Amino acid sequence: MISNLHEHRLALFTCDASRYFAEKVVDAMNRMKSPEDPEIVLGPLEIARFSDGEFQPYFQESVRGATCFIIQSTFPSTDNLMELLLSIDAAKRASADRVIAVIPYYGWARQDRKDKPRTSIGAKLVANMLKVAGADAVMTCDLHADQIQGFFDLPVNHLYASYDFLDILKKLQRKYKDTLTLAAPDMGGAKRVHSYAKYLHTPVVICHKTRAKANVIERIQPIGEVEGRDIVIIDDIIDTAGTLTEAANELLKRGANSVRAFATHAVLSGPAYERIDKSALTEVYVTDTIPLDPAQEHLQGKFRVVSLADTFARMILRVYNYQPISSEFPL
């Protein structure tokens, strides 16, 4: 009798933009695995680049029959998304058994509905592209809206930064005892903040925002008790940091003792670094789903980076072994 006709083998790869993150994930996986298991390494995935800007990924080892995890966040430029799509296609054409796209930051997620006539829904389009490329499942973190999971016609393993943020928030709660208050920078973040507040048993402030015109904030009105409170603003994305810093400044004007922020994805475009540096915020906690810009290092004094590498490592091992992941996330 012939055994082991199918080798259930884990193969881990990364595209260029997320190599910094993938290397940390591999280190974490090796700490978690059993001593008798072989060492986990990043497989050799090369990106051949042509003089006109076109590129072509190719695997330098066999992936036949393997469960392939390909790590890549899809923050700008769009080359990052295309690298991921082409890598998935290459893996399927090389006879991988399963291909799981690990997307720590799922770009285009803010295009989740038609908020004005004759516009695109980018989050749905990218979901379709991932399926057409050949992905069998997606693993991502803190989607801009939970309902984006329904855009996919394949399994979505949705991770949350709450697991890693809660330890820090509990320390702040012990430090500030009865004055810690959680805040949403706008009405859209109310559900997220209430989830944290329910777990930590803290009061909530909601910042109601009105705009004079697009990208110009006219007024921010905090709803809830602010005076004498140590406030933590919770959000999923920091982009230009306009809403975040205006909210922080307004909260301090209204008598808050201190204002901090927690956000999963540090998009940080345009004047974001400078705005945060000059704002009332004392600390800004972000994760490493997107790397901080080394060119802006002189403006990063308030930033505290919380790595999600251990969380992704645990979840990759669980998915590989067909184990549930929901028990890992308390919120």
Side-chain angles (χ1 to χ4, degrees), residues 112 141-152 156 158-160 191-192 195:
D112 61 348
C141 181
D142 278 358
L143 286 167
H144 187 59
D146 284 344
Q147 61 266 28
I148 292 173
Q149 296 175 71
F151 291 179
F152 290 87
V156 176
H158 192 196
L159 281 53
Y160 297 91
K191 181 181 176 182
R192 181 180 300 104
S195 295

Side-chain angles (χ1 to χ4, degrees), residues 34-194:
S34 300
E36 63 271 13
D37 291 336
E39 184 181 7
I40 299 168
V41 297
L42 273 178
L45 172 62
E46 293 294 325
I47 310 292
R49 300 188 182 274
F50 305 103
S51 60
D52 64 350
E54 187 178 324
F55 48 85
Q56 183 180 40
Y58 65 100
F59 295 89
Q60 294 182 299
E61 68 179 23
S62 174
V63 296
R64 185 178 298 275
T67 299
C68 289
F69 292 85
I70 303 176
I71 301 174
Q72 177 81 318
S73 283
T74 55
F75 52 84
S77 71
T78 53
D79 282 2
N80 294 333
L81 173 59
M82 278 302 298
E83 278 187 25
L84 175 61
L85 293 170
L86 290 170
S87 298
I88 294 168
D89 180 74
K92 293 302 285 189
R93 293 179 187 279
S95 300
D97 182 46
R98 287 196 299 161
V99 179
I100 298 167
V102 180
I103 311 174
Y105 170 66
Y106 183 77
W108 316 91
R110 285 172 285 180
Q111 296 183 37
D112 61 348
R113 67 195 184 283
K114 288 186 70 173
D115 56 354
K116 53 182 173 290
R118 299 173 296 280
T119 189
S120 63
I121 303 180
K124 171 61 175 171
L125 176 61
V126 172
N128 289 344
M129 293 165 71
L130 288 163
K131 182 179 181 182
V132 171
D136 295 291
V138 166
M139 180 182 292
T140 190
C141 181
D142 278 358
L143 286 167
H144 187 59
D146 284 344
Q147 61 266 28
I148 292 173
Q149 296 175 71
F151 291 179
F152 290 87
D153 295 321
L154 44 80
V156 176
N157 301 287
H158 192 196
L159 281 53
Y160 297 91
S162 56
Y163 181 97
D164 300 88
F165 283 163
L166 278 174
D167 284 344
I168 303 167
L169 287 168
K170 287 175 183 176
K171 291 177 183 177
L172 290 173
Q173 191 173 40
R174 289 193 291 270
K175 178 179 179 180
Y176 294 114
K177 297 185 174 20
D178 298 328
T179 63
L180 185 70
T181 298
L182 303 186
D186 51 33
M187 300 299 287
K191 181 181 176 182
R192 181 180 300 104
V193 168
H194 277 293

